Amino acid sequence: MPGTQLARARAGEVTPAMKRVADRENREPEFVREQVAEGQAVIPANHGHDALDPMIIGREFATKVNANIGNSETTSDLAGELEKLHAAVHYGADTVMDLSTGSNLDEIREANVAHSPVPVGTVPIYEAVTQVDDVADLTPELLLDVIEKQAEQGVDYQTIHAGVLAEHLPLTDGRKTGIVSRGGSILAQWMEENGEQNPLYTHFEDICEIFAEHDVTFSLGDGLRPGSLADASDDAQFAELDTLGELTRVAWDHDVQVMVEGPGHVPMDEVADNVERQQEVCDGAPFYLLGPLVTDVAPGYDHITSAIGATEAARAGAAMLCYVTPKEHLGLPEAEDVRDGLAAYRIAAHAGDVAAGKPGARDWDDALSEARYQFDWRRQFDLALDPERARDFHDQTLPGDNYKEARFCSMCGVEFCSMRIDQDARDADGEMEAIDDETDLSESAAAEVNLPPTGSHDTSDVPDLPEGVEPVHGDEADGESATGDD
C-alpha cells in the first residue's frame, strides 16, 4: 500500500494526484508537492476511493466549497441521498460530507463513495452513537472500530472532534446557545457522565495510525464553535483551537494530512481575525469554515447570511467553505436546497478569490461582462455559474429564439436599455470609442473552479446511477452528466 500524500511529498515524490491537481489549478506540480509537504495544503484521497478525481485544499489555491448531504432519523433514503450527491457535484461542490444519522448508514456511505468523483467526508461519531443505547456507553474501542471501518470503505476525510477537552466545558457556561456541534455535544455529555477525558483526544495517535494506513485526511472538528454571534470568539472556542494546533502537529508527525474546521457564527468584523488566528495557531494548516453566518436573524435565508461571511473568510485566506442551505436551522435540505446553497457558496468562493487576487480569477467575470455588453445572450447563459437558471429567468418573459438576439431584456425594455444607448452613442462618430474587448478563457491562468462550467470533474470512473435515482435536470443541456449517468 502506498504511503500518504504527505509522506510521499516529504520524500520528494510528485504523485499522480499532485500532477492532476497541478493541471486543475494551473500550477506547477513541484509547487503542489511543496505545499502538501509543508502541511499548507491537503489532497484528500483515500487509497480505496476508485472514482475520485483528485483536488486540493489550501490557501494558495482556489477556494473550495463543501456540500453537506445525508439522511436523518425522519427522512431520506438511498435514492434520495444519491440524488443529493448528484446535485452537489453537478452544481460545483468540490467535496461532500455524508452526515447521515438515520438508517442504512453503511449502504448510503458506500454508495456515495462509489458514485462520487469528489472527496467524501464523514463524522464517525454519528454512526458510533447509533450502536449504543446511551451516549455514556460509547467506548474508545467502538469509536476506533467505526473510524477504521469508514476508512476501509474509502472515506477521504473524517471530522474528529478531538479538541474538546473536559477542562474546556466550564468555559461554555455563559453562552447563549451552549454547544451547538453535534459531535461536541455528544462528547461533552460523555465526559460529564463518565468523568473522563475525551477518548478521541486520548486515543488520537491510534486514529493517526488508521489514517496513515488508508491516507484519510483529518478534518479536526470545532466541537465548541459558536452557534450565535454572542458566543463568537470566546474563551471556549479559542481554548479548543489551541488544542487543535497541538493535534495538527501530532498528526503531521505521523505523516497524516490535516485541515482544521472553523466557526459557524461570527460577526462580520471578526471573520478575518478568526482566519488569521487559526493560521497562526495551526501553523498554516488549511482552514475549513462553516459559513460563517454574520447575523442570526434570517432563518430561511441563511445561505445568504453565511455566504456574506464566507466571502470575507475566503478573502482572508480560508481554504474551504462549508455551504449552508436555506434550510439551515429549520430542516433537512433536499436537492433544490443543495442547488441554492452551492450557488451562494460558489459565488462566495469566487468573489473571495477575486478579492484576494488569485491567478486569473477575474477572467470569468470579464468574459461574462463582455457577453452581456454585446447582448450575446447564449454566451451569457453558457458562462453563468448556473446556466439553466439564468436561461430560465430570461425566458420567463422573453422566451422566443428571436429574443436571444435582442438588444434588451424585460427589465428596461427597448427604449431604456442603458447598454444599447451607450453602444448607439459610441457608434455615432462622437468622441467615445467603441468597446471591443474579448477575454480568452482558454488562455486564463485561473484554476478550474474559477472558470466555467461548474461541476467539471472527471467522472470516467464513476458508475451509472442505480435505477430509480433521478439525475439533475439540465444534464441534457450541457451534454455531460455530473456523476456518470449520461
Side-chain angles (χ1 to χ4, degrees):
M1 184 70 70
T4 66
Q5 294 292 326
L6 177 55
R8 296 165 75 181
R10 285 172 165 174
E13 178 185 357
V14 176
T15 67
M18 295 173 200
K19 292 177 182 176
R20 172 59 178 151
V21 163
D23 180 58
R24 298 183 71 183
E25 297 285 331
N26 256 334
R27 297 296 186 93
E28 291 298 320
E30 178 59 20
F31 178 72
V32 173
R33 186 200 66 76
E34 290 173 352
Q35 287 288 298
V36 173
E38 294 168 4
Q40 308 302 288
V42 298
I43 301 176
N46 188 310
H47 300 317
H49 189 169
D50 296 333
L52 181 68
D53 185 15
M55 53 79 71
I56 195 165
I57 301 166
R59 67 183 179 279
E60 294 299 323
F61 302 94
T63 305
K64 304 306 189 299
V65 174
N66 171 70
N68 286 341
I69 59 175
N71 73 354
S72 73
E73 295 180 15
T74 60
T75 184
S76 192
D77 54 15
L78 175 61
E81 289 311 307
L82 284 178
E83 287 172 7
K84 290 180 196 173
L85 170 66
H86 184 272
V89 176
H90 180 81
Y91 291 115
D94 298 295
T95 77
V96 295
M97 288 202 77
D98 179 357
L99 304 185
S100 294
T101 57
S103 58
N104 302 321
L105 296 181
D106 283 326
E107 181 185 21
I108 289 173
R109 186 181 310 114
E110 289 170 356
N112 279 335
V113 171
H115 288 88
S116 179
V118 304
V120 175
T122 59
V123 187
I125 198 170
Y126 295 173
E127 180 181 358
V129 168
T130 68
Q131 298 184 21
V132 294
D133 294 328
D134 186 87
V135 166
D137 296 332
L138 285 171
T139 65
E141 293 74 24
L142 173 59
L143 289 166
L144 290 173
D145 285 346
V146 171
I147 288 168
E148 185 167 25
K149 181 187 69 173
Q150 294 191 5
E152 292 171 347
Q153 289 172 323
V155 168
D156 301 289
Y157 64 97
Q158 295 184 28
T159 294
I160 304 295
H161 297 91
V164 183
L165 303 186
E167 54 266 36
H168 298 160
L169 302 185
L171 300 175
T172 67
D173 289 346
R175 285 182 159 187
K176 283 192 181 295
T177 48
I179 300 174
V180 299
S181 158
R182 289 179 186 171
S185 63
I186 291 167
L187 288 163
Q189 182 181 348
W190 188 92
M191 287 185 280
E192 287 286 292
E193 295 189 15
N194 287 283
E196 297 180 25
Q197 186 57 277
N198 180 351
L200 296 176
Y201 179 79
T202 59
H203 289 74
F204 189 75
E205 293 198 75
D206 296 325
I207 303 172
C208 288
E209 292 178 7
I210 295 170
F211 281 15
E213 179 180 354
H214 300 276
D215 200 2
V216 177
T217 297
F218 272 110
S219 186
L220 292 177
D222 53 340
L224 300 182
R225 68 175 179 267
S228 56
L229 298 191
D231 297 340
S233 306
D234 69 355
D235 290 342
Q237 176 191 333
F238 289 148
E240 181 186 24
L241 178 61
D242 289 341
T243 304
L244 297 183
E246 168 200 333
L247 295 174
T248 295
R249 292 180 281 276
V250 173
W252 283 345
D253 287 343
H254 288 77
D255 286 334
V256 177
Q257 300 184 96
V258 180
M259 57 184 171
V260 178
E261 296 184 15
H265 295 248
V266 181
M268 186 74 171
D269 59 308
E270 296 178 18
V271 172
D273 289 342
N274 269 258
V275 175
E276 291 163 7
R277 183 168 186 147
Q278 181 276 339
Q279 290 289 274
E280 180 179 352
V281 170
C282 299
D283 295 337
F287 201 20
Y288 163 33
L289 285 92
L290 173 66
L293 284 74
V294 295
T295 181
D296 297 333
V297 301
Y301 299 93
D302 280 335
H303 60 312
I304 298 173
T305 61
S306 61
I308 294 169
T311 304
E312 173 65 0
R315 184 201 63 79
M320 187 161 75
L321 310 170
C322 183
Y323 86 162
V324 171
T325 77
K327 289 278 183 66
E328 186 76 12
H329 302 111
L330 302 172
L332 188 72
E334 299 177 351
E336 192 64 16
D337 303 306
V338 170
R339 178 183 188 175
D340 289 343
L342 275 167
Y345 272 71
R346 284 260 57 101
I347 294 167
H350 180 73
D353 285 350
V354 171
K358 295 288 176 67
R362 211 192 71 187
D363 291 346
W364 186 359
D365 303 79
D366 291 348
L368 195 144
S369 296
E370 291 156 13
R372 179 176 291 143
Y373 184 76
Q374 296 297 331
F375 297 103
D376 190 341
W377 294 103
R378 291 183 177 85
R379 180 157 174 76
Q380 271 197 73
F381 302 151
D382 289 342
L383 291 175
L385 181 137
D386 186 340
E388 297 124 45
R389 180 157 292 179
R391 188 181 297 107
D392 289 346
F393 279 11
H394 174 269
D395 290 357
Q396 284 175 12
T397 49
L398 299 173
D401 282 347
N402 57 308
Y403 290 116
K404 303 299 189 296
E405 314 295 335
R407 298 175 69 206
F408 63 91
C409 70
S410 61
M411 175 176 281
C412 297
V414 180
E415 295 301 322
F416 288 94
C417 178
S418 57
M419 285 195 281
R420 180 198 61 77
I421 294 169
D422 181 78
Q423 286 181 12
D424 289 348
R426 292 178 186 279
D427 291 340
D429 296 327
E431 294 185 0
M432 294 192 299
E433 296 182 359
I435 298 174
D436 188 23
D437 290 334
E438 183 175 357
T439 299
D440 185 357
L441 293 182
S442 67
E443 297 297 322
S444 175
E448 268 186 17
V449 299
N450 277 321
L451 294 171
T454 58
S456 56
H457 313 282
D458 181 355
T459 62
S460 57
D461 291 325
V462 178
D464 292 344
L465 287 171
E467 185 176 351
V469 178
E470 292 296 324
V472 171
H473 297 299
D475 284 348
E476 298 84 358
D478 61 25
E480 182 177 1
S481 161
T483 55
D485 66 312
D486 48 356

